[in-house]
Amino acid sequence: MLGIPIRKEFGLDPVQLSWISAVAVLNGSIWRLPFGILTDRYGGRIVFTTMLAVTAIPAFLVSQANSYTQLLVYAFLVGLAGNSFTVGIAWNAAWFPAHRQGTALGVFGAGNVGASVTKLIGPALITLVPAAGALGGVIPGGWRFVPFLYGVLLLVMAAVMWVGTPRVDRIPGQGRPIANMLKPLRRLSVWRFSLYYVVVFGAYVALAAWLPRYYVDVFDLDLSHAALLTALFIFPASLLRPLGGYLSDRYGARRVMYSSFGAMLLASLVLSMPQGHIVLYVPESVDPSGVREVMHFTMSVRLFTGLVFVVGIAMGVGKAAVYKYIPDYFPKDVGAVGGLVGALGALGGFFLPPLFAYGEQLTKMPQATFMILFLITLVSAIWMHLTVVGFLQRAAPQLKDDFETPATSAERGE
């Protein structure tokens, strides 16, 4: 949302612009494991409140940036707020029983909808304050008003958090040695969950930042319409986390992940199709020109938005399912495991925007974005399925080589 006016003011190319959002995501990723452990050891109340208050400082600095380098540095520091997700996950898990954790974590994760709200009201906020600012320049104007307002809201929420939450916190990791809390990270399943989270969260973060520019550059829409259509992706990807948590509580995270990956694969496959047609060389007796064009395909804004909406639904449901796995597998180590899963998943949001940009430069096709999304989803789905097959074979080794259910006596006519 801020990318378009920032690109215009500083004269940035797509790769430079992608790095601004990427460095913010990086800082919102690399500290998730330490913050998860801190939450388990000292409680979410003090960790969450401190993080909100500290992040307000670089938010104000972003509104004063005068160069690309300053933007990169301040955006990196603002990204610290991204670690609040891991703090909240560990904190919520400490307060809810196992049979309600999927729903509880899904409701907390629905806070991602703030990105949708920003996309919707961002263009209006940019024009709300004159470019010269207000109150003698104390309040900056134009796009700079948005990070200034964000800093104010961070301070307000820090105060609300400190005053409005129980003073006696639940601290599941109090007194436990750090080495003991890190022991579960040796398990391969932790890294498998991390890859799932790259697909459903890292790619979500990347697309939320990437789609406005995609709409502007590919479909020639103005910023306000691009922001509105991007919100149609972000809303389901955020608001459906509670539904994903509920479904995971009721049917199991694995079934939900199969559905999420399947929907993402189908939608991203169509989204990755280049516009144009297939040219067949035929005899001149069939066509005087010697060629025939078949399978014409053009991606309309309506079809594109509909498919991206499906991806958003799958991501919203899938994000909750991934975090349902964690308290099921590691009930005493949600902070550490959730921190690592969140860190590696969010790192996908750091690497993917530049990867999208380089993919577009290499192929000369904007659809490269969705080719990349399709490939990482396919790898995750295959790994999950092979894991499930392995579980089943270990549970029933006598059926390892049986591919059909034996016929019953009635079916054989006996």
Side-chain angles (χ1 to χ4, degrees):
M1 184 270 296
L2 293 181
I4 304 302
I6 288 175
R7 180 176 68 174
K8 189 176 298 184
E9 178 176 331
F10 291 92
L12 307 180
D13 61 38
V15 173
Q16 288 177 309
L17 184 63
S18 71
W19 277 108
I20 293 176
S21 60
V23 295
V25 174
L26 175 65
N27 198 29
S29 309
I30 57 179
W31 307 111
R32 291 193 175 203
L33 175 57
F35 273 112
I37 293 174
L38 286 172
T39 303
D40 278 350
R41 284 177 66 87
Y42 301 106
R45 181 172 181 261
I46 187 170
V47 177
F48 214 133
T49 303
T50 303
M51 181 183 297
L52 291 172
V54 170
T55 308
I57 299 172
F60 290 125
L61 291 175
V62 169
S63 69
Q64 304 298 320
N66 293 311
S67 69
Y68 178 61
T69 301
Q70 288 181 351
L71 274 175
L72 282 177
V73 173
Y74 299 154
F76 174 79
L77 295 175
V78 167
L80 182 71
N83 297 285
S84 62
F85 178 76
T86 296
V87 177
I89 287 292
W91 196 16
N92 272 269
W95 282 89
F96 287 90
H99 68 280
R100 296 177 59 197
Q101 283 175 339
T103 304
L105 299 182
V107 170
F108 171 75
N112 288 150
V113 76
S116 299
V117 175
T118 302
K119 291 289 187 298
L120 285 173
I121 68 175
L125 290 175
I126 291 173
T127 60
L128 184 63
V129 179
L135 299 179
V138 174
I139 300 177
W143 68 266
R144 297 173 186 273
F145 174 66
V146 177
F148 176 85
L149 179 62
Y150 181 53
V152 172
L153 293 176
L154 284 170
L155 292 177
V156 170
M157 287 310 302
V160 170
M161 188 74 66
W162 187 253
V163 173
T165 54
R167 293 188 178 276
V168 180
D169 210 344
R170 294 186 179 178
I171 309 175
Q174 192 171 31
R176 287 180 61 194
I178 297 294
N180 182 268
M181 298 178 74
L182 293 174
K183 191 177 295 184
L185 305 188
R186 302 173 186 172
R187 299 263 302 270
L188 183 62
S189 56
V190 175
W191 303 89
R192 179 164 53 89
F193 300 155
S194 298
L195 180 59
Y196 298 170
Y197 208 56
V198 168
V199 174
V200 296
F201 178 72
Y204 154 77
V205 171
L207 285 177
W210 192 255
L211 282 175
R213 189 191 72 82
Y214 196 99
Y215 275 115
V216 170
D217 292 349
V218 176
F219 296 107
D220 198 28
L221 300 182
D222 58 52
L223 179 58
S224 60
H225 282 88
L228 177 64
L229 294 179
T230 300
L232 294 179
F233 160 73
I234 299 175
F235 266 119
S238 305
L239 288 178
L240 291 182
R241 282 187 86 141
L243 175 63
Y246 169 77
L247 293 175
S248 299
D249 281 340
R250 182 163 184 178
Y251 301 108
R254 188 172 296 124
R255 288 191 178 98
V256 175
M257 289 308 302
Y258 266 118
S259 301
S260 295
F261 283 158
M264 288 184 64
L265 285 170
L266 289 174
S268 59
L269 180 62
V270 179
L271 287 165
S272 65
M273 292 172 58
Q275 300 192 91
H277 48 260
I278 297 175
V279 177
L280 300 178
Y281 293 93
V282 298
E284 292 185 1
S285 59
V286 175
D287 193 303
S289 67
V291 298
R292 176 168 291 180
E293 298 174 354
V294 298
M295 295 182 67
H296 294 267
F297 175 75
T298 301
M299 179 67 72
S300 65
V301 175
R302 182 173 297 180
L303 176 59
F304 178 85
T305 302
L307 290 170
V308 168
F309 182 74
V310 171
V311 172
I313 292 173
M315 286 180 170
V317 172
K319 283 186 285 188
V322 172
Y323 267 87
K324 172 60 178 173
Y325 276 117
I326 296 171
D328 284 349
Y329 277 65
F330 309 97
K332 296 181 179 180
D333 298 287
V334 175
V337 176
L340 182 65
V341 170
L344 297 179
L347 278 173
F350 165 71
F351 287 110
L352 285 174
L355 189 59
F356 291 163
Y358 289 125
E360 185 176 338
Q361 282 188 347
L362 180 65
T363 64
K364 308 301 180 185
M365 295 189 302
Q367 295 88 352
T369 294
F370 299 99
M371 296 176 188
I372 293 168
L373 177 62
F374 176 83
L375 289 175
I376 63 171
T377 306
L378 182 63
V379 170
S380 299
I382 290 173
W383 191 2
M384 182 179 73
H385 185 66
L386 291 177
T387 301
V388 172
V389 170
F391 286 158
L392 295 176
Q393 289 179 347
R394 286 192 293 273
Q398 73 277 11
L399 300 178
K400 181 178 179 180
D401 298 317
D402 291 337
F403 297 97
E404 299 289 346
T405 302
T408 64
S409 298
E411 288 171 334
R412 290 194 297 266
E414 297 176 359

